[in-house]
């Protein structure tokens, strides 16, 4: 039995991007639109709640910052793979979003003169990160969630797991979903859709992401025939706390923290003499791994060798005022009080630069479907994202896609959904996967997938390792079968959800590995030891990946849009 809900706009995901999109659609619709927000966890458990350090925007041109400077920093950080028209649009809209959140009640940190405070962040040549202590995401999400609740037109479906996007004739018609509480299967028929399902960080074993960041949205789009873009570019943040992988926000270095090796040296002087610890993340992560591989790190548990992040010189008062959460995390998860001791850190999977291909306004190639936030690849972040640009991306593109989806929904009528597609999806989940249950224990497969990614598709890559990873992922997909579910109940069947998530992750892992093997150059976060140079002549282009008939990734390319800033060497 399929429960059918009809709605004007369906927003898939309720992180920063999804919430901002829903609010904008409601404002634009002025009471006329019915907006359904579907989220597999309660909205306030979305990964965005964990973002800590800040949201980047130009607020003070009077003090020397400018849109061009923010755009240039972003493009240089991106190793020239960002589309410059998109970046120019983004930097101009980001400040409005900071003030918009302020008006909705966001408690931004303040300067003594009462204006919004900004701190330094890696790769930015001006302090641009607006923050609320080091719990910015929690406050931003609370502000957006509270605001969303004020609109009658927005209805939340918490703990609804979306399983597929329905496209007909390249036009969006709706989504299918499971209500976790009851196990009932739903069809949401909608005029427009906004995909905002976040990143894919759980592909990796050592990661900063929530357990819910499992690439579902990317896999759904890919399976529905939409192309993914630049999937080889995965960001490794320099300071994952050992052994948990919990993020020590870049705010720690923004406020003046140092990185040191086992000789007590601030080694960044050998890699980025000007920017030091505040060089972009790809540069700092490579430097850390070089120190570790050359024997200047510390032995860590389970092969998690590390360097140290030292905050002691900042003093207890500043740490407690600006970085209280970091202190708490380090004490709880590493048994180290940063007021007294340096913290053990190493590069950690943190952000998917790649995602669902969109134009510079967030529209996917399917009519009526937009993508916003980390699931999308606009591309703003190119080969390496700068810290703080992701939360502003979510806000700006949430706003832009919400507005376009509302305009589109107001002038469209609801189209028929072919029920055979919906019933086939229902049979896939309930008959084949839940009742059928072929394949091996999914938890073993997940662990092997993650360790493969961590071993061969980490900071340094080469052909041999990537080929081995591809072989292994293919083997795991075979062993996965249709998915093995031990729990046969319908209510709160988390086991079934884990299997569906793993199915998505295996699909996307294969895309990431194949794309990394395909790109025979080093650029931004993608470092090939066998192709150590950036190769603009052959590779200044986006990778576009579509799913072939046999489920194999097929590659096409798109040119990078250059407006004002011709490619140049990256020095920091
Ligand atoms: C620890 C950490 C710290 C960070 N710090 C910063 C920072 O300081 N500054 C910055 O700019 N960026 C930071 N980032 C990056 C930034 O926070 C994320 O890129 C951003 O929050 C992603 O938001 P989103 O709205 O795209 O998705 P998310 O917040 O990840 O939300 C995804 C949503 O999709 C839903 N969803 C997923 N799959 C399904 C499905 N199958 N069915 C239904 N719903 C689904 C989830 O329930 C969730 O609501 C940080 C990231 C992490 C992990």
């Amino acid at each position: 039995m399929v429960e059918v809900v009809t709605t004007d706009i369906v927003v898939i995901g309720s992180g920063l991007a999804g919430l901002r999109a829903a609010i904008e659609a409601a404002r634009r619709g002025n009471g006329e639109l019915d907006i359904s927000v579907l989220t597999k966890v309660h909205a306030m458990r979305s990964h965005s709640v964990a973002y800590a350090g800040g949201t980047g925007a130009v607020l003070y041109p009077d003090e020397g910052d400018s849109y061009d400077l923010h755009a240039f920093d972003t493009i240089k950080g991106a190793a020239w793979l960002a589309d410059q028209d998109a970046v120019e649009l983004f930097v101009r809209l980001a400040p409005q979003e900071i003030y918009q959140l302020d008006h909705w009640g966001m408690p931004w940190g303040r300067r003594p003169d009462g204006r919004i405070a900004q701190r330094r962040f890696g790769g930015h040549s001006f302090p641009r990160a607006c923050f609320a202590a080091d719990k910015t995401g929690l406050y931003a999400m609370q502000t957006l969630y509270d605001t969303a609740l004020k609109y009658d037109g927005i209805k939340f479906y918490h703990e609804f797991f979306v399983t597929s996007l329905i496209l007909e004739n390249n036009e969006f018609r709706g989504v299918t979903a499971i209500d976790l509480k009851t196990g009932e299967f739903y069809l949401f028929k909608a005029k427009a859709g906004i995909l905002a399902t976040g990143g894919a960080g759980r592909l990796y074993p050592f990661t900063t992401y929530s357990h819910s960041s499992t690439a579902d949205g990317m896999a759904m789009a890919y399976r529905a025939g939409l192309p993914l873009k630049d999937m080889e570019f995965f960001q490794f943040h320099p300071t994952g706390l050992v052994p948990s992988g919990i993020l020590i926000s870049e705010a720690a270095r923004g406020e003046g923290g140092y990185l040191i090796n086992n000789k007590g040296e601030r080694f960044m002087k050998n890699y980025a003499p000007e920017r030091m610890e505040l060089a972009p993340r790809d540069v700092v992560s490579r430097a850390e791994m070089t120190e570790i591989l050359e024997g200047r790190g510390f032995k860590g548990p389970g092969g998690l060798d590390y360097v140290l992040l030292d905050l002691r010189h900042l003093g207890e008062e500043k740490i407690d005022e600006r970085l209280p959460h970091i202190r708490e995390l380090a004490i709880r998860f590493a048994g180290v009080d940063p007021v007294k001791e340096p913290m053990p850190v190493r590069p950690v999977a943190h952000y998917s630069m790649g995602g669902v291909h969109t134009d510079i306004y967030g529209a996917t190639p399917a009519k009526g479907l937009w993508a916003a936030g980390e699931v999308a690849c606009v591309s703003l972040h190119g080969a390496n994202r700068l810290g703080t640009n992701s939360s502003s991306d979510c806000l700006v593109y949430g706003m832009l896609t919400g507005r376009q989806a509302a305009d589109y929904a107001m002038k469209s009528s609801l189209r028929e959904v072919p029920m055979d597609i919906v019933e086939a999806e229902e049979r896939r989940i309930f008959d084949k996967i839940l009742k059928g249950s072929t394949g091996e224990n999914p938890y073993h497969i997940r662990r092997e997938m993650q360790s493969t990614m961590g071993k061969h598709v980490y900071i340094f890559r080469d052909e041999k390792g990537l080929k081995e990873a591809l072989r292994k992922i293919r083997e795991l997909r075979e062993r996965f079968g249709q998915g093995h579910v031990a729990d046969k109940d319908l209510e709160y069947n988390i086991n079934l959800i884990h299997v569906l998530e793993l199915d998505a992750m295996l699909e996307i892992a294969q895309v990431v590995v194949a794309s990394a093997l395909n790109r025979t150059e080093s650029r931004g976060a993608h470092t090939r030891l066998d192709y150590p140079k950036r190769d603009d002549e052959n590779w200044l282009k986006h990778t576009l990946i579509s799913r072939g008939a046999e489920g194999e990734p097929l590659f096409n390319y798109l040119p990078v849009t250059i407006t004002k800033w011709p490619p140049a060497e990256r020095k920091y």
Side-chain angles (χ1 to χ4, degrees):
M1 255 290 286
V2 183
E3 300 284 331
V4 181
V5 176
T6 48
T7 183
D8 291 310
I9 300 177
V10 58
V11 179
I12 310 149
S14 60
L16 216 53
L19 291 179
R20 183 67 188 86
I23 295 170
E24 194 62 22
R27 296 211 303 173
R28 190 79 166 182
N30 215 0
E32 274 181 40
L33 290 174
D34 180 72
I35 299 151
S36 303
V37 181
L38 277 64
T39 165
K40 68 177 175 179
V41 292
H42 184 279
M44 283 300 293
R45 293 183 64 91
S46 303
H47 182 61
S48 291
V49 171
Y51 101 77
T55 300
V58 173
L59 294 191
Y60 303 121
D62 53 326
E63 292 172 11
D65 202 4
S66 74
Y67 294 142
D68 271 3
L69 205 53
H70 189 187
F72 177 71
D73 289 346
T74 302
I75 290 159
K76 181 177 174 191
W80 270 272
L81 196 72
D83 285 320
Q84 299 186 2
D85 49 353
V87 175
E88 289 192 63
L89 174 72
F90 160 72
V91 298
R92 283 186 162 70
L93 294 175
Q96 294 176 21
E97 290 301 311
I98 301 293
Y99 294 121
Q100 181 62 70
L101 276 192
D102 195 52
H103 294 168
W104 283 333
M106 172 79 186
W108 292 121
R110 298 280 162 177
R111 318 196 300 193
D113 66 2
R115 301 213 273 175
I116 292 172
Q118 293 183 298
R119 62 162 61 113
R120 294 198 164 275
F121 246 73
H124 289 278
S125 51
F126 206 85
R128 226 172 251 145
C130 309
F131 59 89
D134 55 359
K135 302 179 188 176
T136 313
L138 175 67
Y139 293 115
M141 283 288 290
Q142 192 74 60
T143 303
L144 289 175
Y145 186 51
D146 278 354
T147 304
L149 293 177
K150 292 181 183 143
Y151 291 90
D152 289 335
I154 302 178
K155 179 156 188 217
F156 280 93
Y157 292 85
H158 301 282
E159 301 186 318
F160 271 65
F161 186 92
V162 176
T163 69
S164 73
L165 303 177
I166 301 170
L167 304 184
E168 267 293 289
N169 304 326
N170 200 35
E171 190 184 71
F172 179 75
R173 300 280 170 92
V175 301
T176 54
I178 304 169
D179 177 0
L180 260 77
K181 296 173 277 304
T182 60
E184 278 169 311
F185 192 62
Y186 276 74
L187 163 66
F188 286 78
K189 281 188 186 176
K191 297 173 184 167
I194 301 169
L195 187 64
T197 46
R202 285 279 154 183
L203 292 178
Y204 286 89
F206 190 65
T207 176
T208 65
Y209 283 83
S210 311
H211 287 271
S212 57
S213 298
T214 52
D216 312 357
M218 293 175 191
M220 276 185 254
Y222 184 58
R223 287 173 182 164
L226 297 174
L228 302 176
K229 189 160 78 198
D230 295 340
M231 294 297 286
E232 58 273 38
F233 297 102
F234 216 98
Q235 177 161 82
F236 299 92
H237 188 293
T239 56
L241 190 64
V242 172
S244 63
I246 286 176
L247 181 75
I248 298 301
S249 165
E250 200 168 304
R253 282 170 288 135
E255 296 291 353
Y258 301 151
L259 288 167
I260 49 184
N261 63 17
N262 70 12
K263 304 208 156 23
E265 275 172 345
R266 275 182 77 184
F267 56 85
M268 282 310 299
K269 68 178 190 297
N270 303 322
Y271 302 88
E274 271 179 40
R275 290 289 174 86
M276 296 290 285
E277 283 85 356
L278 289 178
R281 290 174 178 171
D282 58 333
V283 175
V284 183
S285 284
R286 268 193 301 274
E288 287 180 358
M289 279 319 286
T290 306
E291 292 297 302
I292 290 171
L293 293 171
E294 291 179 359
R296 292 184 296 278
F298 298 83
K299 273 269 154 281
L304 293 175
D305 293 354
Y306 59 83
V307 295
L308 293 173
L309 174 59
D310 197 351
L311 303 186
R312 288 173 299 182
H313 54 287
L314 302 181
E316 187 164 7
E317 196 181 326
K318 182 159 181 190
I319 292 175
D320 282 347
E321 187 207 328
R322 292 291 183 99
L323 307 167
H325 192 46
I326 286 176
R327 184 174 186 191
E328 190 187 323
L329 290 173
I331 293 174
R332 279 212 203 163
F333 292 96
V336 167
D337 182 351
V339 169
K340 302 190 189 111
E341 279 172 276
M343 295 172 276
V345 294
R346 68 180 263 126
V348 60
H350 184 64
Y351 186 82
S352 333
M353 265 79 72
V356 177
H357 167 57
T358 72
D359 70 5
I360 73 166
Y361 304 105
T364 73
K367 221 173 140 199
L369 180 66
W370 284 263
E374 197 172 334
V375 71
C377 181
V378 167
S379 141
L380 286 181
H381 311 299
N384 173 64
R385 171 178 74 85
L386 294 189
T388 80
N389 271 356
S390 165
S391 49
S392 354
D393 166 4
C394 289
L395 294 169
V396 165
Y397 278 87
M399 182 274 286
L400 283 172
T401 56
R403 188 171 291 185
Q404 294 168 86
D407 290 347
Y408 179 85
M410 283 189 288
K411 61 179 192 346
S412 322
S413 49
L414 210 56
R415 308 289 296 276
E416 266 320 297
V417 173
M419 284 310 279
D420 53 324
I421 302 186
V422 179
E423 282 154 12
E425 178 67 357
E426 188 184 22
R427 280 195 302 278
R428 179 180 80 94
I429 291 166
F430 295 95
D431 296 344
K432 291 194 182 149
I433 301 179
L434 185 65
K435 291 198 196 115
S437 283
T438 60
E440 288 179 28
N441 183 326
Y443 299 97
H444 296 170
I445 293 188
R446 187 170 70 187
R447 200 170 313 130
E448 285 183 48
M449 174 199 69
Q450 290 172 333
S451 71
T452 303
M453 295 298 286
K455 192 163 166 207
H456 299 299
V457 203
Y458 187 47
I459 308 254
F460 295 122
R461 305 162 170 193
D462 62 19
E463 181 176 323
K464 186 160 168 276
L466 291 169
K467 281 196 164 151
E468 170 54 20
L470 198 54
R471 188 201 61 72
K472 185 72 188 180
I473 301 290
R474 287 199 182 114
E475 174 203 309
L476 292 173
R477 290 189 74 177
E478 295 252 310
R479 285 164 52 195
F480 177 79
Q482 285 175 344
H484 181 92
V485 185
D487 180 355
K488 302 293 178 195
D489 282 344
L490 285 175
E491 293 87 15
Y492 269 115
N493 191 336
I494 299 301
N495 186 206
L496 170 64
I497 297 302
H498 287 162
V499 167
L500 294 172
E501 290 176 341
L502 179 58
D503 193 18
M505 287 196 287
L506 287 168
E507 178 96 61
I508 296 304
Q510 184 171 347
V511 173
V512 172
V513 179
S515 309
L517 187 60
N518 184 55
R519 186 174 282 269
T520 48
E521 65 153 356
S522 292
R523 182 185 297 273
H526 173 67
T527 308
R528 287 280 302 252
L529 293 173
D530 42 356
Y531 297 93
K533 292 229 157 55
R534 197 176 97 194
D535 175 2
D536 284 344
E537 203 172 307
N538 295 301
W539 284 106
L540 185 63
K541 58 187 180 189
H542 298 290
T543 315
L544 217 55
I545 312 113
S546 329
R547 194 169 191 271
E550 305 288 303
E552 291 290 308
L554 304 177
F555 295 104
N556 280 295
Y557 302 95
L558 268 185
V560 175
T561 308
I562 308 277
T563 56
K564 287 194 212 167
W565 297 278
E569 198 191 341
R570 282 175 84 213
K571 269 200 199 141
Y572 289 97

